[in-house]
Amino acid sequence: MLCTNQARWGRNTNACDLTAVDHSAVAESCGVIGIRVESASEITGALKEAFATEDSVVIDLLTDPKCVHPVPFMTVLENV
């Protein structure tokens, strides 16, 4: 997983080396509705299902692990 530090400063730390967790399964094991979304085409159905219930819902939305959020211009100079 590419962390924010690596994206900003070009160096990596083990503090953000996260392993894959199925949060929907964790939610289900705690008695909460868990919905796992693995593709963009499943988002609408997951939201409809979540809003159709009165219960708490966890939506586990998988994203591309190589995707790095955009770093706004000049923020790379913070804390230099």
Side-chain angles (χ1 to χ4, degrees), residues 1-72:
M1 170 176 252
L2 187 64
C3 68
T4 303
N5 286 340
Q6 188 173 1
R8 282 188 175 186
W9 316 115
R11 44 184 202 261
N12 196 7
T13 68
N14 62 0
C16 59
D17 185 16
L18 306 174
T19 59
V21 175
D22 185 342
H23 295 284
S24 63
V26 173
E28 293 280 341
S29 70
C30 295
V32 176
I33 297 170
I35 303 170
R36 189 168 175 93
V37 175
E38 297 184 5
S39 68
S41 64
E42 298 173 343
I43 295 172
T44 301
L47 290 173
K48 286 180 180 179
E49 183 180 342
F51 287 126
T53 183
E54 295 288 325
D55 297 326
S56 296
V57 176
V58 170
I59 298 177
D60 186 8
L61 180 65
L62 302 183
T63 59
D64 181 353
K66 295 180 183 172
C67 181
V68 178
H69 63 83
V71 179

